[in-house]
CSV table of all heavy atoms in Angstrom, one decimal:
chain,number,residue,atom,x,y,z
K,261,THR,N,6.4,-26.1,0.7
K,261,THR,CA,7.5,-25.3,1.2
K,261,THR,C,8.6,-26.3,1.8
K,261,THR,O,8.2,-27.3,2.4
K,261,THR,CB,7.1,-24.1,2.1
K,261,THR,OG1,8.2,-23.3,2.3
K,261,THR,CG2,6.6,-24.7,3.4
K,306,TRP,N,4.6,-18.6,-4.9
K,306,TRP,CA,5.0,-18.5,-3.4
K,306,TRP,C,3.7,-18.0,-2.7
K,306,TRP,O,2.9,-17.4,-3.3
K,306,TRP,CB,6.1,-17.5,-3.3
K,306,TRP,CG,7.2,-17.7,-4.2
K,306,TRP,CD1,7.6,-16.9,-5.3
K,306,TRP,CD2,8.1,-18.8,-4.3
K,306,TRP,NE1,8.7,-17.4,-5.9
K,306,TRP,CE2,9.0,-18.6,-5.5
K,306,TRP,CE3,8.2,-20.0,-3.6
K,306,TRP,CZ2,10.0,-19.5,-5.8
K,306,TRP,CZ3,9.3,-20.9,-4.1
K,306,TRP,CH2,10.1,-20.7,-5.1
K,307,ILE,N,3.8,-18.1,-1.4
K,307,ILE,CA,2.7,-17.7,-0.6
K,307,ILE,C,2.4,-16.2,-0.7
K,307,ILE,O,1.3,-15.7,-0.7
K,307,ILE,CB,2.9,-18.1,0.9
K,307,ILE,CG1,1.6,-17.8,1.8
K,307,ILE,CG2,4.0,-17.3,1.6
K,307,ILE,CD1,0.5,-18.8,1.5
K,308,THR,N,3.5,-15.4,-0.9
K,308,THR,CA,3.2,-14.0,-1.0
K,308,THR,C,2.4,-13.7,-2.3
K,308,THR,O,1.5,-12.8,-2.3
K,308,THR,CB,4.6,-13.2,-1.2
K,308,THR,OG1,5.5,-13.7,-0.2
K,308,THR,CG2,4.5,-11.7,-1.1
K,352,TYR,N,5.1,-3.9,-3.1
K,352,TYR,CA,5.5,-5.0,-2.1
K,352,TYR,C,6.6,-5.9,-2.8
K,352,TYR,O,6.2,-6.6,-3.7
K,352,TYR,CB,4.3,-5.7,-1.7
K,352,TYR,CG,4.4,-6.6,-0.5
K,352,TYR,CD1,5.2,-6.4,0.5
K,352,TYR,CD2,3.6,-7.9,-0.5
K,352,TYR,CE1,5.3,-7.2,1.6
K,352,TYR,CE2,3.7,-8.7,0.7
K,352,TYR,CZ,4.5,-8.4,1.7
K,352,TYR,OH,4.6,-9.2,2.8
K,382,THR,N,8.3,-4.9,2.3
K,382,THR,CA,9.3,-5.9,2.0
K,382,THR,C,8.9,-7.1,2.7
K,382,THR,O,8.3,-7.1,3.8
K,382,THR,CB,10.7,-5.4,2.5
K,382,THR,OG1,10.9,-5.8,3.9
K,382,THR,CG2,11.1,-4.0,2.2
K,383,VAL,N,9.4,-8.2,2.2
K,383,VAL,CA,9.2,-9.5,2.8
K,383,VAL,C,10.1,-10.6,2.3
K,383,VAL,O,10.7,-10.4,1.3
K,383,VAL,CB,7.8,-10.0,2.4
K,383,VAL,CG1,7.6,-10.2,0.8
K,383,VAL,CG2,7.3,-11.3,3.0
K,384,GLY,N,10.4,-11.6,3.1
K,384,GLY,CA,11.0,-12.7,2.7
K,384,GLY,C,12.4,-13.0,3.3
K,384,GLY,O,12.8,-14.2,3.4
K,385,GLU,N,13.0,-11.9,3.8
K,385,GLU,CA,14.3,-12.1,4.5
K,385,GLU,C,14.6,-10.8,5.2
K,385,GLU,O,14.0,-9.7,4.9
K,385,GLU,CB,15.4,-12.3,3.4
K,385,GLU,CG,15.2,-11.6,2.2
K,385,GLU,CD,16.3,-11.5,1.2
K,385,GLU,OE1,17.4,-11.8,1.5
K,385,GLU,OE2,16.0,-11.2,0.0
K,386,PRO,N,15.6,-10.9,6.1
K,386,PRO,CA,15.9,-9.7,6.8
K,386,PRO,C,16.5,-8.6,5.9
K,386,PRO,O,17.1,-9.0,4.8
K,386,PRO,CB,17.1,-10.1,7.8
K,386,PRO,CG,17.0,-11.6,7.9
K,386,PRO,CD,16.4,-12.0,6.7
K,387,ILE,N,16.1,-7.3,6.1
K,387,ILE,CA,16.7,-6.3,5.2
K,387,ILE,C,17.7,-5.6,5.8
K,387,ILE,O,17.7,-5.2,6.9
K,387,ILE,CB,15.4,-5.4,4.6
K,387,ILE,CG1,16.0,-4.3,3.7
K,387,ILE,CG2,14.7,-4.8,5.7
K,387,ILE,CD1,14.9,-3.7,2.8
K,408,ASP,N,8.1,-3.7,6.9
K,408,ASP,CA,8.9,-4.9,6.8
K,408,ASP,C,8.1,-6.0,7.5
K,408,ASP,O,8.0,-6.1,8.7
K,408,ASP,CB,10.2,-4.6,7.6
K,408,ASP,CG,11.1,-5.8,7.7
K,408,ASP,OD1,10.7,-7.0,7.3
K,408,ASP,OD2,12.2,-5.7,8.1
K,409,THR,N,7.5,-6.9,6.6
K,409,THR,CA,6.4,-7.8,7.1
K,409,THR,C,7.2,-9.2,7.3
K,409,THR,O,7.7,-9.7,6.4
K,409,THR,CB,5.4,-8.0,6.0
K,409,THR,OG1,6.0,-8.4,4.8
K,409,THR,CG2,4.6,-6.6,5.8
K,410,TRP,N,7.1,-9.7,8.5
K,410,TRP,CA,7.5,-11.0,8.8
K,410,TRP,C,6.4,-12.0,8.8
K,410,TRP,O,5.4,-11.7,9.6
K,410,TRP,CB,8.3,-11.1,10.2
K,410,TRP,CG,8.7,-12.6,10.3
K,410,TRP,CD1,10.0,-13.1,9.9
K,410,TRP,CD2,8.0,-13.6,11.0
K,410,TRP,NE1,9.9,-14.5,10.2
K,410,TRP,CE2,8.8,-14.8,11.0
K,410,TRP,CE3,6.7,-13.7,11.6
K,410,TRP,CZ2,8.4,-16.0,11.5
K,410,TRP,CZ3,6.4,-14.9,12.1
K,410,TRP,CH2,7.2,-16.0,12.1
K,411,TRP,N,6.4,-13.0,8.0
K,411,TRP,CA,5.4,-14.1,8.0
K,411,TRP,C,6.1,-15.3,7.3
K,411,TRP,O,7.3,-15.3,6.9
K,411,TRP,CB,4.2,-13.6,7.5
K,411,TRP,CG,4.1,-13.1,6.1
K,411,TRP,CD1,4.8,-12.0,5.6
K,411,TRP,CD2,3.4,-13.7,5.0
K,411,TRP,NE1,4.5,-11.8,4.3
K,411,TRP,CE2,3.7,-12.9,3.9
K,411,TRP,CE3,2.5,-14.7,4.8
K,411,TRP,CZ2,3.1,-13.1,2.6
K,411,TRP,CZ3,2.1,-14.9,3.5
K,411,TRP,CH2,2.3,-14.2,2.5
K,412,GLN,N,5.2,-16.3,7.1
K,412,GLN,CA,5.8,-17.5,6.4
K,412,GLN,C,4.6,-18.3,5.6
K,412,GLN,O,3.3,-17.9,6.0
K,412,GLN,CB,6.1,-18.5,7.5
K,412,GLN,CG,7.1,-18.1,8.6
K,412,GLN,CD,7.4,-19.0,9.5
K,412,GLN,OE1,6.5,-19.4,10.3
K,412,GLN,NE2,8.6,-19.6,9.6
K,413,THR,N,4.9,-19.2,4.8
K,413,THR,CA,3.9,-19.9,4.1
K,413,THR,C,2.9,-20.5,5.1
K,413,THR,O,1.7,-20.4,4.8
K,413,THR,CB,4.6,-21.1,3.3
K,413,THR,OG1,5.7,-20.5,2.6
K,413,THR,CG2,3.6,-21.9,2.5
K,414,GLU,N,3.4,-21.0,6.2
K,414,GLU,CA,2.6,-21.6,7.2
K,414,GLU,C,1.5,-20.6,8.0
K,414,GLU,O,0.5,-21.0,8.3
K,414,GLU,CB,3.5,-22.2,8.4
K,414,GLU,CG,4.3,-23.4,7.9
K,414,GLU,CD,5.6,-23.0,7.3
K,414,GLU,OE1,5.8,-21.9,6.9
K,414,GLU,OE2,6.5,-23.9,7.2
K,420,ILE,N,4.1,-10.1,11.9
K,420,ILE,CA,4.8,-9.1,12.5
K,420,ILE,C,5.0,-8.0,11.5
K,420,ILE,O,5.6,-8.3,10.4
K,420,ILE,CB,6.2,-9.6,13.1
K,420,ILE,CG1,6.0,-10.7,14.0
K,420,ILE,CG2,6.8,-8.4,13.9
K,420,ILE,CD1,7.5,-11.3,14.4
K,434,ALA,N,11.0,-5.8,11.8
K,434,ALA,CA,9.6,-5.9,11.4
K,434,ALA,C,8.8,-5.4,12.6
K,434,ALA,O,7.5,-5.4,12.5
K,434,ALA,CB,9.3,-7.4,11.2
K,501,SER,N,8.6,-21.2,14.6
K,501,SER,CA,8.6,-20.7,13.2
K,501,SER,C,9.8,-21.3,12.5
K,501,SER,O,9.9,-21.3,11.3
K,501,SER,CB,8.6,-19.3,13.2
K,501,SER,OG,9.9,-18.8,13.8
K,502,GLY,N,10.9,-21.6,13.2
K,502,GLY,CA,12.2,-22.1,12.6
K,502,GLY,C,13.2,-20.9,12.6
K,502,GLY,O,14.3,-21.0,12.2
K,503,ASP,N,12.6,-19.7,13.0
K,503,ASP,CA,13.5,-18.4,12.9
K,503,ASP,C,14.0,-18.1,14.3
K,503,ASP,O,13.4,-18.3,15.3
K,503,ASP,CB,12.7,-17.3,12.4
K,503,ASP,CG,12.5,-17.3,11.0
K,503,ASP,OD1,13.2,-18.1,10.3
K,503,ASP,OD2,11.8,-16.4,10.4
K,515,VAL,N,14.3,-10.1,13.5
K,515,VAL,CA,14.4,-11.5,13.1
K,515,VAL,C,15.7,-11.6,12.4
K,515,VAL,O,16.2,-11.0,11.6
K,515,VAL,CB,13.3,-11.8,12.0
K,515,VAL,CG1,13.4,-13.1,11.5
K,515,VAL,CG2,11.9,-11.4,12.5
K,516,THR,N,16.4,-12.7,12.9
K,516,THR,CA,17.8,-12.8,12.5
K,516,THR,C,17.9,-14.0,11.4
K,516,THR,O,19.0,-14.1,10.8
K,516,THR,CB,18.7,-13.2,13.6
K,516,THR,OG1,18.1,-14.3,14.3
K,516,THR,CG2,18.9,-12.0,14.5
K,517,GLY,N,16.9,-14.8,11.1
K,517,GLY,CA,17.0,-15.8,10.1
K,517,GLY,C,16.8,-17.2,10.7
K,517,GLY,O,16.6,-17.3,11.9
K,518,ARG,N,16.8,-18.2,9.8
K,518,ARG,CA,16.5,-19.5,10.2
K,518,ARG,C,17.5,-20.1,11.2
K,518,ARG,O,18.7,-19.8,11.1
K,518,ARG,CB,16.5,-20.4,8.9
K,518,ARG,CG,15.6,-20.0,7.8
K,518,ARG,CD,14.2,-20.2,8.1
K,518,ARG,NE,13.8,-21.5,8.5
K,518,ARG,CZ,12.5,-22.0,8.5
K,518,ARG,NH1,11.6,-21.1,8.2
K,518,ARG,NH2,12.2,-23.1,8.9
K,524,ASN,N,17.9,-19.4,3.0
K,524,ASN,CA,17.0,-18.4,2.3
K,524,ASN,C,17.8,-17.7,1.1
K,524,ASN,O,18.5,-16.7,1.3
K,524,ASN,CB,16.7,-17.4,3.4
K,524,ASN,CG,15.5,-16.5,3.0
K,524,ASN,OD1,15.3,-16.2,1.8
K,524,ASN,ND2,14.8,-15.9,3.8
K,527,GLY,N,15.2,-14.9,-1.0
K,527,GLY,CA,13.9,-14.9,-0.3
K,527,GLY,C,13.2,-16.3,-0.6
K,527,GLY,O,12.1,-16.5,-0.2
K,528,HIS,N,13.9,-17.2,-1.2
K,528,HIS,CA,13.3,-18.5,-1.4
K,528,HIS,C,13.8,-19.5,-0.4
K,528,HIS,O,14.9,-19.6,-0.2
K,528,HIS,CB,13.6,-19.1,-2.8
K,528,HIS,CG,13.2,-18.3,-4.0
K,528,HIS,ND1,12.0,-17.5,-4.0
K,528,HIS,CD2,13.8,-17.8,-5.1
K,528,HIS,CE1,11.9,-16.8,-5.0
K,528,HIS,NE2,13.0,-16.9,-5.7
K,529,ARG,N,12.8,-20.3,0.1
K,529,ARG,CA,13.2,-21.2,1.1
K,529,ARG,C,13.7,-22.5,0.5
K,529,ARG,O,13.0,-23.1,-0.3
K,529,ARG,CB,12.0,-21.6,1.9
K,529,ARG,CG,12.1,-21.1,3.4
K,529,ARG,CD,10.7,-21.1,3.9
K,529,ARG,NE,10.4,-22.4,4.6
K,529,ARG,CZ,9.3,-22.5,5.4
K,529,ARG,NH1,8.4,-21.6,5.5
K,529,ARG,NH2,9.1,-23.6,6.0
B,1,WT7,C1,10.8,-17.4,5.9
B,1,WT7,C2,9.4,-17.9,5.4
B,1,WT7,C3,6.2,-15.0,3.9
B,1,WT7,C4,6.6,-14.6,2.7
B,1,WT7,C5,7.8,-15.0,2.0
B,1,WT7,C6,8.6,-16.2,2.4
B,1,WT7,C7,12.0,-15.4,6.3
B,1,WT7,C8,10.1,-13.8,5.9
B,1,WT7,C9,10.9,-12.0,6.8
B,1,WT7,C10,11.2,-10.6,7.2
B,1,WT7,C11,13.2,-11.6,8.0
B,1,WT7,C12,11.8,-13.0,6.9
B,1,WT7,C13,12.0,-16.2,7.5
B,1,WT7,C14,10.7,-17.0,7.4
B,1,WT7,N1,11.3,-14.1,6.3
B,1,WT7,N2,9.8,-12.5,6.0
B,1,WT7,N3,10.4,-9.6,7.1
B,1,WT7,N4,12.3,-10.5,7.9
B,1,WT7,N5,12.9,-12.8,7.6
B,1,WT7,O1,7.8,-17.2,2.9
B,1,WT7,O2,9.1,-19.2,1.9
B,1,WT7,O3,7.5,-19.4,3.9
B,1,WT7,O4,9.7,-18.2,4.2
B,1,WT7,O5,11.3,-16.2,5.3
B,1,WT7,O6,13.1,-16.9,7.6
B,1,WT7,O7,10.8,-18.2,8.2
B,1,WT7,P1,8.5,-18.6,3.2
Side-chain angles (χ1 to χ4, degrees):
T261 191
W306 314 113
I307 190 71
T308 311
Y352 192 33
T382 82
V383 60
E385 39 173 334
I387 181 163
D408 176 349
T409 58
W410 179 88
W411 59 298
Q412 309 178 290
T413 306
E414 291 86 344
I420 308 174
S501 65
D503 282 350
V515 179
T516 50
R518 305 287 307 193
N524 191 331
H528 304 317
R529 246 163 97 168

